[in-house]
Amino acid sequence: MKLFSNTFQILEQGLNYSSLKQKVIANNIANVDTPNFQAKDVQFRTEFHQALQAYRTDPRHFEFKGSTNKFFMTTKNDLVYNHNKNNVDLDQEMSDLAQNQIYYNALVERLNGKFNSLKTVIKGGK
């Protein structure tokens, strides 16, 4: 018998993704003037949303076999922005940083809501 749904695991994986994304963005910003540096990115969110949509509500449903705990590090090598072959776009990185922070905060709020629900149930609805 499962005491908790997969929601806690999925939210944890989302937080891990957001944490790694934060590190990658910070690294990109730190290397904005480094010659020949190629900006990096992390991919995960599409698998995260697929996992949420594939939640089984009945044991007779097919089990989702996706790998939601894998993050894919990619190098952005399609454009060169500086004369030193560095492709870090500082404006884009700052935008990604803000978007990632909003995403992280939303996941934390959802996780807090789940814990508050459990706390209410444990206290008997009081």
Side-chain angles (χ1 to χ4, degrees):
M1 178 177 110
K2 285 180 80 171
L3 184 60
F4 303 112
S5 67
N6 289 338
T7 307
F8 285 104
Q9 285 180 312
I10 293 170
L11 289 172
E12 178 187 9
Q13 291 168 358
L15 290 171
N16 290 340
Y17 158 77
S18 185
S19 175
L20 179 61
K21 178 104 173 156
Q22 177 79 14
K23 291 174 187 173
V24 168
I25 293 170
N27 186 46
N28 288 346
I29 292 171
N31 288 295
V32 70
D33 292 324
T34 304
N36 298 317
F37 181 80
Q38 299 295 303
K40 297 188 179 31
D41 194 15
V42 180
Q43 302 296 323
F44 169 71
R45 195 174 305 181
T46 54
E47 290 189 15
F48 175 71
H49 290 299
Q50 287 174 355
L52 285 177
Q53 293 172 358
Y55 178 71
R56 295 186 327 160
T57 56
D58 189 300
R60 295 174 290 175
H61 291 165
F62 290 114
E63 187 171 352
F64 181 68
K65 301 283 186 191
S67 57
T68 59
N69 58 355
K70 291 187 179 180
F71 308 121
F72 300 100
M73 185 86 67
T74 58
T75 302
K76 300 177 189 175
N77 54 9
D78 51 348
L79 297 172
V80 175
Y81 293 107
N82 296 328
H83 63 282
N84 62 0
K85 297 183 182 175
N86 182 313
N87 72 345
V88 177
D89 181 1
L90 190 56
D91 292 331
Q92 181 63 47
E93 295 299 327
M94 295 304 285
S95 173
D96 290 347
L97 188 68
Q99 183 179 5
N100 188 52
Q101 185 64 44
I102 292 168
Y103 182 72
Y104 180 86
N105 289 342
L107 289 174
V108 167
E109 286 295 319
R110 185 65 191 126
L111 199 54
N112 283 337
K114 289 298 240 177
F115 283 124
N116 285 335
S117 296
L118 285 174
K119 189 168 104 176
T120 302
V121 168
I122 291 170
K123 287 184 173 183
K126 297 179 183 179

